[in-house]
Amino acid sequence: QVQLVQSGAEVKKPGASVKVSCKASGYTFTNYFMHWVRQAPGQGLEWMGIINPRGDSTSYAQKFQGRVTMTRDTSTSTVYMELSSLRSEDAAVYFCARDTYDSSGYFVHWGQGTLVTVSS
Amino acid sequence: DIQMTQSPSSLSASVGDRVTITCRASHSISTHLNWYQQKPGKAPKLLIYAASSLQSGVPSRFSGSGSGTDFTLTISRLEPEDFAVYYCQQYGFSPFGQGTKVEIK
C-alpha cells in the first residue's frame, strides 16, 4: 500500500533553515509528482509547490519563490522540502501529498505531517 | 492567480441535516475542482475530484456539483463523523479555499 512517511518535528530559530523529508513506499516513486502543503496553527491549507521525482523539475508558489527548495533522492524514494530564512509565520505543519498517475492534481495520499516550530 | 472563495466560513448543523458548502473561483476552471475533509490533527482526506466524482470509499451522502466558477459540496444527511473542516481546491498547482468548519448545533 502507498505510504508517505515524513521526518519528525523540528524546532528552529528565526533566520534558520529547515529540511523536511517524505519517504515514499508502495509504488513506483518516479511515476508520481509530489506536492508540499502547509498549515499554520488554526489556519487553512496552503499549497507550496510540486516536484517531479523523475526529472527533478519543480514549480513553487510565488509566495515561497527564493526561499523554498524541493529535491528528491530516487535511491531512497524520498523527497525533501527545504525552507530558508525562517520567520515566526512559517511555524506550521508541513505535509507532502502525492499526485495522481496522470498528474490530475488531486491528492489521495498524504504524509502524516511534520510540525515546524520557529522560536528564538 | 485564480482565487478560491468558500462560503460560509462556518456553519452549525444537526445530525441528519442537509449541508451545502459553496466554492467560487475567480476565473473559470471548468470542472477542475476538488473537495477535502480535514479533522483535527489529521491530514486532509479527498472526498470529491473533478467537481463531481466521488473518491473511492467515500460515503455516497457526499456529492459535488458545478462547473466554471461556482461549485457546491453537499452532505445529504449529516453524520456525527462529518463534523470537520472542508476545503475546496483547484487542481494541483493552486491555492485552497479558506475552509468551512461544520460544527454541531
Side-chain angles (χ1 to χ4, degrees):
Chain A
Q1 73 283 18
V2 175
Q3 281 196 301
L4 303 175
V5 179
Q6 297 183 223
S7 48
E10 302 265 11
V11 179
K12 296 292 182 181
K13 294 188 184 303
S17 297
V18 67
K19 191 170 187 177
V20 179
S21 68
C22 171
K23 183 173 176 59
S25 62
Y27 69 96
T28 302
F29 176 68
T30 51
N31 284 356
Y32 295 80
F33 292 3
M34 194 76 79
H35 299 250
W36 286 91
V37 175
R38 77 176 187 180
Q39 186 170 39
Q43 302 301 308
L45 301 169
E46 184 171 32
W47 181 80
M48 298 182 68
I50 181 175
I51 181 168
N52 177 357
R54 183 181 297 269
D56 206 23
S57 60
T58 55
S59 180
Y60 305 135
Q62 188 168 10
K63 174 177 179 176
F64 301 103
Q65 291 274 1
R67 279 210 306 143
V68 70
T69 304
M70 297 178 187
T71 57
R72 93 299 190 227
D73 182 342
T74 56
S75 69
T76 60
S77 298
T78 302
V79 295
Y80 299 91
M81 186 285 301
E82 184 170 21
L83 189 62
S84 62
S85 302
L86 289 170
R87 29 207 192 231
S88 58
E89 53 265 39
D90 293 318
V93 175
Y94 290 76
F95 295 98
C96 57
R98 197 196 77 170
D99 209 319
T100 58
Y101 183 77
D102 56 357
S103 305
S104 290
Y106 55 87
F107 314 142
V108 175
H109 301 285
W110 294 70
Q112 82 276 19
T114 297
L115 176 64
V116 174
T117 301
V118 182
S119 174
S120 54
Chain B
D1 283 358
I2 292 179
Q3 303 302 314
M4 311 301 295
T5 304
Q6 277 184 245
S7 61
S9 56
S10 66
L11 63 91
S12 296
S14 300
V15 172
D17 284 353
R18 181 182 180 90
V19 168
T20 299
I21 298 167
T22 65
C23 182
R24 175 164 289 175
S26 57
H27 300 88
S28 175
I29 58 171
S30 183
T31 56
H32 298 162
L33 192 283
N34 311 316
W35 289 98
Y36 296 86
Q37 175 195 67
Q38 189 181 31
K39 296 182 179 179
K42 299 292 187 180
K45 174 186 176 182
L46 179 70
L47 300 176
I48 302 286
Y49 61 95
S52 61
S53 295
L54 190 67
Q55 171 62 18
S56 175
V58 173
S60 59
R61 63 181 180 273
F62 290 93
S63 64
S65 65
S67 66
T69 60
D70 295 314
F71 301 87
T72 60
L73 172 71
T74 300
I75 309 172
S76 59
R77 289 182 61 85
L78 207 58
E79 295 287 342
E81 60 267 31
D82 300 337
F83 293 96
V85 181
Y86 294 84
Y87 295 93
C88 64
Q89 186 211 15
Q90 190 210 354
Y91 276 14
F93 288 64
S94 302
F96 290 80
Q98 75 271 29
T100 296
K101 185 174 185 179
V102 177
E103 299 176 296
I104 301 173
K105 182 184 287 183

